[in-house]
Amino acid sequence: MPDLNSTYKPPAVKCNGFDPRAFRWAQTMRLAVEEINQNPELLSNYTLGYKIFDSCAYPLTGQRAALAVLNGLSEDDSPTCRDASPLLAVIGESGSAQSIVVSRILQPFRIPMISYFSSCACFNDRRTYPTFFRVIPNDDYQVKAIAQLLVYFNWTWVGLVRGDHEYGRFAVQGLLRELQSTKVCVAYQVMIPLLYNRHKALEIMQVMRSSSAKVVVVFSAEGEMTPFLRDYMTQNITGIQWVASEAWVTSSVFTGSEYYPYLGGTIGFGIKKGYISRLGDYLQTINPVMYPSNTLVQELWEALYGCSPSPSSGSQLPLCSGHETLLKQHSAYMNTSNTRVSYNVYKAVYAIAYSLHNLLLCQPGSGPFQNNSCAQINSIKPWELQYYIQDVIFNIDGEEVNFDLKGDSVPYYDIINWQRGTAGNIELVNVGLFDGTKPAREELVIQEDKIMWAGHQSEVPMSVCSASCPPGSRKAVRRGEPVCCFDCVPCDSGKISNQTNSVDCTFCPDNFWSNKDRTACSPKEVEFLAYDSLGIALTVISVVGACLTIAVLGVFFYNKNTAIVRVNNSELSFFILFALILCFLCSLVFIGEPTSWSCMLRHTAFSITFSLCISCILGKTLVVLAAFTATRPGDNIMKWLGPKQQRTIIFSGTIIQVVICATWLIAAPPFPSRNTQYEHSKIILECSVGSSLAFWGVLGYIGLQACLCFVLAFLARKLPGNFNEAKFITFSMLIFCAVWLAFIPAYISSPGKYADAVESFAILASSFGLLICLFAPKCYIILLKPEKNTKQQLMGKEKK
C-alpha cells in the first residue's frame, strides 16, 4: 500500500502476486459478453461493452477501481467524480469486504451490482444495499448448512477462524446464532489479520495446537489463507479437521501434493458447479502470441508455467522454451469441467443481458415506470435497469436463475471433500449437497461412505470437550466452562437414564427400582421371611422344639404315677407342656408372605400361648411356695391352692391377655403392609401392628407375669428338698426375661424380614429355655436316674 498521509497525491496501488483463478473469472466475463453479442436472439442490434478493473482483493483498491469506473477513465489518472458515468451495471466484487465498499460508492448513483462471490449476510439489509444482487447463496444458508454438518457428525467442540473483514464477522455471528439451538460449543475464536502478520498467525496456530477441539471452521478468503497455510505447514500441525467456507473450499491454490498431509480430508460447502462449453477453448486463446502487449497475459504465463514469455518483460524468470507444462498449483486453471465461481460470473453477465433485453422489449403505454412509460433507449438510467434485474427470470443449461426481494439467488451448495488424487495432489470430490429450498431436516444430503477424513482416515473424527456420558449417568456441567464441557455423574439409586448424554436422571415409578447399571427400572424385590434358608432353619427348629415337647409330654404321661411327676403337680406340668407346644408352633405363623389372617394371628397367638404358659408356671410357683411354707399343724394355706384355684389362676392370667388381644383386634388389628421407606430398593412385606400401644401392651403383660413369677420363684429358691423346683423356675424366668429384654432393641433395629426372624427366634429361644430349665432335670431323673424317682429322695429324707 502507498503512504496515504494526505500531503501529496498518492501513487497507484501496486498489486503483489498474480491469481490465475481470478484472471479466469475475468476471461469468463469476456466470453459471456462475446456470446451475447453474437446471439441474434438476445439484445439484437445492440452490443454490450465492458471494462475490467483489478481490486487486488483489497477494499481500498476496490474503492479506487469503483471511482475510476464511474469516471470512465483509467484508474491511475482519473480525477474524482469528473462527469456523470455511462455505466449501467457492475459485475463484482469477489470478496464481501470489497463489495461493501463498491456497493456504497455506487448506491448514490443507483447503479445495480451483481456479485458472483460475495456471500456476506450483511447484504440482506436492503436499506443499506438497495442496488446489490448476487448469484451466490447468502451466507445465512451457508452457516445453517455448516451448523447442520457439525450436528450431523456430532462435533460438539469446534474452533472458529475468520478473516478480518465483514464476510468473516457476519459469517461467525450467523454460525453462533445457528449453534445456540444445538449442543455444539465453540472452543475459541481467532482472526487472521487482513494485512497478514506472521507473528499473529503463529499465535493463532498455538491456540489451535493447544486446544482439544480437533474441528476448525474457517470463514476466510483465499488471499489471507494462502500465507496462513504456508506458515501452518511449517509448524507441522496435523490432526486438524478443517471445515472450509465456500470462499476457499474450491480454491486450486491448495491442491498441490505438499498440502495434503495438512489439509487432506477438508470438508466444506462449495458453490454449485456448472459447465460452460466454450470456456476451455476460449482460455486456450489467451496467450502471449495473441496478446503480446498485455502485461496481465505476461504475468499469467509466468504464474502458470514459471517462465517468462518475452525477454522484454523484465522478469527474473527464465525464458519460455515452449515445452513447459502447467505448474501443479495452477493446474486447475485449464480444468473447465466443473466450474463454480466462473459459472457464477457467467450467470451474472447473462442476468444483466436478459434484464436489458426485457427493458428493450417494453411497449410504450404498458411500461413499469411513471405514467406506464418505458425507459428511453438512448438514455437508459441504471435504476431503470435495476427494476428489470429484480424481476428477471431465465435459464442456463436447465438451471433457472432469478433473484428474491433481497437480491439473493437460490441457496444451493455442493459438499466438497479434499481427497488424495492419483498423482498425490488434492482432488475436490463431491460427497453431498445442501438444498435450501427443501423442507427443514431434508436440506442436507451426505454420502458418508465417500468421505475421506483428516489423516487419511475413513472413520469420522471426534471433536468433543467431554466424552459422551453413557446410559446410567448424567451430565454435570463444569463451573465456568461451556455446556459442552461436563463430567459424567452416575445416577443415584432409584434413578435411571437410558440415553446417552442425559441431562438428568429420572425417578423410577412406584414399585420399581433402578438396576445395577442405572439404565432401566425393574420391579422392586419383594422381601419377607420366606421358606428360604433362614425360614427353613426357623421352621426346622420350631418343629424340633414341638416334637421334643411332645416327647417330654409322652414321657410324663407314661410316668404319670411316679413320684417326680406327682410331686410336681402333673396337671400343671401337662398344661405347661401343652402351652409350650403351642409356643413352638406359633413361630411358624411368622414365616411366609403376610396376609390379613396371618398378621392378626401372629402376635395374638404368641401372646396368648405365652400368657397361658407363664400363668401355669406362676400357678406352679405358688403351689411350691405354699407347700414348703405350710409347716405348722393345722395350717390351711394349701386349701387355697387346690386344683380348682390353680385352674382359676391359669384361666384368670390367660383371660386378661385374651381380652387385651380381642380389644386390639377390634380397635386396630394388625394388617399386611408394603414398607418402601426402610430400604427404597425393596418392598418389605410386613405386618403392621395396627396399634403400637396394644403391641407393647401384650408384651408388657407377659413381662409382668414373668417378673412376678421370677420374684416368687426367687423367694422359694432356698426351701428344703433335694428337688426344689423353685430353683429351676427361677432359672427359666431369668432366661425368659433375658431373651425378651434382648429382643426389644434387636427387633427395633432389624430391617425387613429380619424383624420377623428376630421375633420368631425370641419365641423359640424362650420356649427352649422354659422346656430345658423346667423339664430337663425331671426327664434326666425319670430316664437316667430312676432310683432317685422316690418321694423320700425328692423330699430330702433318704434312709441312712
Side-chain angles (χ1 to χ4, degrees):
M1 293 298 298
D3 183 14
L4 302 177
N5 58 13
S6 302
T7 61
Y8 54 85
K9 180 180 178 179
V13 176
K14 293 183 179 180
C15 296
N16 190 13
F18 188 87
D19 184 4
R21 185 186 186 209
F23 187 81
R24 186 172 74 167
W25 300 340
Q27 302 314 308
T28 304
M29 174 183 171
R30 293 182 60 213
L31 170 63
V33 171
E34 289 184 14
E35 286 183 353
I36 292 167
N37 289 336
Q38 295 169 7
N39 189 343
E41 297 181 359
L42 186 62
L43 293 177
S44 58
N45 300 323
Y46 293 93
T47 302
L48 282 181
Y50 61 87
K51 190 169 186 178
I52 299 175
F53 287 82
D54 189 1
S55 68
C56 287
Y58 191 70
L60 183 57
T61 320
Q63 179 185 26
R64 290 188 170 203
L67 292 173
V69 169
L70 289 172
N71 287 311
L73 299 174
S74 66
E75 182 179 1
D76 293 339
D77 59 356
S78 60
T80 303
C81 302
R82 188 192 67 173
D83 293 312
S85 171
L87 184 69
L88 286 181
V90 170
I91 302 294
E93 255 274 26
S94 57
S96 296
Q98 300 93 278
S99 290
I100 288 173
V101 173
V102 174
S103 179
R104 285 173 175 170
I105 292 174
L106 299 178
Q107 179 186 339
F109 304 98
R110 302 174 70 181
I111 298 175
M113 172 181 178
I114 303 180
S115 175
Y116 51 88
F117 209 20
S118 298
S119 57
C120 179
C122 54
F123 292 113
N124 279 351
D125 186 355
R126 220 53 180 151
R127 290 185 178 182
T128 307
Y129 308 101
T131 63
F132 183 84
F133 297 86
R134 53 185 162 191
V135 287
I136 184 174
N138 180 350
D139 266 345
D140 279 344
Y141 291 101
Q142 180 179 206
V143 297
K144 183 179 181 181
I146 290 178
Q148 290 187 21
L149 183 79
L150 298 177
V151 173
Y152 181 89
F153 290 114
N154 199 29
W155 292 331
T156 59
W157 191 235
V158 300
L160 290 184
V161 178
R162 72 174 180 90
D164 184 14
H165 36 58
E166 295 297 291
Y167 166 71
R169 184 168 68 88
F170 274 89
V172 167
Q173 288 177 357
L175 181 61
L176 293 176
R177 187 167 55 251
E178 287 290 332
L179 295 181
Q180 286 179 355
S181 59
T182 70
K183 298 178 181 180
V184 181
C185 300
V186 176
Y188 58 85
Q189 294 184 54
V190 290
M191 182 177 65
I192 303 174
L194 188 58
L195 290 177
Y196 187 73
N197 183 304
R198 188 172 189 272
H199 177 73
K200 179 64 176 177
L202 292 178
E203 291 180 356
I204 294 173
M205 294 170 200
Q206 182 57 35
V207 172
M208 296 172 61
R209 189 199 302 270
S210 59
S211 174
S212 58
K214 298 305 178 185
V215 172
V216 179
V217 181
V218 183
F219 292 101
S220 185
E222 177 186 322
E224 58 257 27
M225 283 300 290
T226 301
F228 179 81
L229 290 177
R230 286 173 184 163
D231 287 335
Y232 175 82
M233 291 190 295
T234 63
Q235 299 301 307
N236 197 28
I237 304 174
T238 57
I240 296 294
Q241 175 61 51
W242 298 90
V243 178
S245 66
E246 97 293 330
W248 64 283
V249 72
T250 56
S251 175
S252 60
V253 176
F254 310 121
T255 57
S257 58
E258 69 276 13
Y259 286 97
Y260 185 79
Y262 308 96
L263 299 180
T266 296
I267 193 170
F269 292 88
I271 304 163
K272 183 180 180 181
K273 65 181 180 181
Y275 179 64
I276 306 172
S277 59
R278 292 180 53 196
L279 181 59
D281 295 335
Y282 188 80
L283 292 178
Q284 295 283 359
T285 66
I286 311 299
N287 57 68
V289 177
M290 292 291 295
Y291 301 95
S293 60
N294 191 309
T295 57
L296 287 179
V297 176
Q298 302 287 333
E299 290 187 48
L300 171 68
W301 225 247
E302 293 174 2
L304 292 180
Y305 296 99
C307 64
S308 176
S310 172
S312 61
S313 64
S315 173
Q316 302 296 321
L317 295 172
L319 195 65
C320 294
S321 64
H323 300 286
E324 289 82 8
T325 58
L326 279 172
L327 298 177
K328 286 185 178 180
Q329 63 265 35
H330 298 306
S331 58
Y333 175 80
M334 298 301 298
N335 183 4
T336 59
S337 60
N338 58 352
T339 56
R340 298 179 187 273
V341 183
S342 296
Y343 187 59
N344 277 357
V345 174
Y346 192 72
K347 290 190 292 185
V349 177
Y350 268 91
I352 291 178
Y354 276 103
S355 300
L356 277 171
H357 184 78
N358 294 337
L359 182 149
L360 296 174
L361 292 177
C362 178
Q363 298 296 323
S366 60
F369 305 117
Q370 188 175 6
N371 298 324
N372 297 325
S373 62
C374 298
Q376 297 297 318
I377 303 301
N378 296 327
S379 60
I380 299 174
K381 305 296 189 298
W383 59 267
E384 293 172 333
L385 176 60
Q386 179 182 344
Y387 176 86
Y388 284 93
I389 292 176
Q390 182 68 71
D391 292 337
V392 70
I393 299 177
F394 62 97
N395 282 275
I396 292 183
D397 196 24
E399 178 187 352
E400 185 179 275
V401 180
N402 63 339
F403 302 100
D404 63 17
L405 293 178
K406 294 181 180 180
D408 290 332
S409 58
V410 176
Y412 188 98
Y413 295 97
D414 289 331
I415 302 178
I416 308 299
N417 183 222
W418 291 14
Q419 299 183 11
R420 188 198 299 272
T422 54
N425 61 320
I426 291 178
E427 288 186 356
L428 309 183
V429 179
N430 196 332
V431 294
L433 59 89
F434 177 87
D435 189 349
T437 62
K438 292 290 185 66
R441 297 183 181 179
E442 297 180 13
E443 303 150 311
L444 193 67
V445 178
I446 299 177
Q447 297 170 297
E448 194 171 341
D449 57 326
K450 295 175 62 176
I451 300 176
M452 186 59 65
W453 300 105
H456 204 69
Q457 300 295 315
S458 57
E459 293 184 1
V460 180
M462 296 286 292
S463 186
V464 295
C465 182
S466 301
S468 298
C469 291
S473 62
R474 63 176 178 85
K475 296 194 297 186
V477 179
R478 299 170 187 165
R479 180 173 296 181
E481 297 187 35
V483 294
C484 298
C485 300
F486 50 82
D487 296 316
C488 295
V489 180
C491 291
D492 296 330
S493 297
K495 294 183 177 182
I496 65 161
S497 67
N498 54 11
Q499 294 179 342
T500 303
N501 286 334
S502 293
V503 177
D504 202 359
C505 301
T506 56
F507 283 99
C508 288
D510 292 341
N511 300 330
F512 285 83
W513 197 249
S514 56
N515 59 6
K516 182 180 179 181
D517 297 328
R518 307 288 195 268
T519 56
C521 292
S522 53
K524 287 184 178 179
E525 177 186 350
V526 178
E527 181 181 276
F528 56 89
L529 187 57
Y531 287 97
D532 51 13
S533 56
L534 181 60
I536 292 175
L538 292 174
T539 302
V540 170
I541 295 172
S542 175
V543 172
V544 169
C547 292
L548 286 176
T549 307
I550 293 173
V552 172
L553 180 63
V555 170
F556 266 57
F557 185 79
Y558 184 77
N559 297 279
K560 62 183 178 180
N561 295 320
T562 60
I564 196 168
V565 176
R566 297 180 63 186
V567 166
N568 285 280
N569 197 327
S570 59
E571 185 178 354
L572 287 178
S573 296
F574 289 140
F575 268 124
I576 293 172
L577 289 170
F578 174 72
L580 283 176
I581 293 172
L582 295 179
C583 288
F584 277 115
L585 294 179
C586 77
S587 67
L588 296 177
V589 186
F590 289 85
I591 304 172
E593 183 176 350
T595 63
S596 297
W597 286 103
S598 66
C599 286
M600 289 189 290
L601 189 61
R602 281 184 182 184
H603 298 101
T604 53
F606 127 78
S607 59
I608 292 173
T609 54
F610 266 89
S611 286
L612 173 63
C613 183
I614 301 300
S615 297
C616 294
I617 296 173
L618 179 61
K620 176 173 282 198
T621 305
L622 289 174
V623 170
V624 171
L625 187 65
F628 283 95
T629 55
T631 55
R632 294 189 301 271
D635 204 338
N636 295 325
I637 189 170
M638 283 302 297
K639 72 179 180 178
W640 298 106
L641 290 171
K644 290 184 179 180
Q645 289 77 11
Q646 293 174 18
R647 297 188 191 102
T648 302
I649 291 173
I650 295 171
F651 179 78
S652 300
T654 306
I655 198 63
I656 295 174
Q657 188 73 289
V658 171
V659 171
I660 294 174
C661 290
T663 305
W664 183 9
L665 294 177
I666 294 171
F671 58 90
S673 66
R674 301 167 69 89
N675 188 344
T676 58
Q677 301 302 315
Y678 188 87
E679 192 170 350
H680 296 297
S681 62
K682 297 179 180 179
I683 298 176
I684 300 175
L685 297 184
E686 60 184 12
C687 287
S688 177
V689 295
S691 171
S692 297
L693 179 64
F695 174 71
W696 293 109
V698 296
L699 289 181
Y701 181 73
I702 294 174
L704 178 64
Q705 286 182 306
C707 290
L708 179 61
C709 190
F710 172 77
V711 170
L712 294 176
F714 183 79
L715 293 176
R717 72 189 185 283
K718 294 184 178 180
L719 293 176
N722 287 340
F723 191 84
N724 185 356
E725 195 171 9
K727 294 180 182 179
F728 303 114
I729 294 175
T730 302
F731 281 120
S732 66
M733 289 299 101
L734 190 63
I735 293 173
F736 184 87
C737 291
V739 168
W740 286 100
L741 286 175
F743 157 78
I744 295 174
Y747 179 81
I748 294 174
S749 61
S750 296
K753 65 180 181 181
Y754 298 102
D756 292 335
V758 165
E759 189 169 359
S760 181
F761 179 79
I763 292 171
L764 295 174
S766 56
S767 299
F768 273 110
L770 294 176
L771 178 65
I772 292 172
C773 289
L774 294 178
F775 295 98
K778 298 180 181 65
C779 290
Y780 174 75
I781 292 174
I782 293 172
L783 298 176
L784 301 178
K785 297 290 184 178
E787 67 275 8
K788 292 184 177 182
N789 191 3
T790 62
K791 186 176 181 180
Q792 292 78 8
Q793 181 69 28
L794 295 175
M795 298 301 294
K797 298 177 181 180
E798 187 177 357
K799 293 181 179 180
K800 305 268 178 120

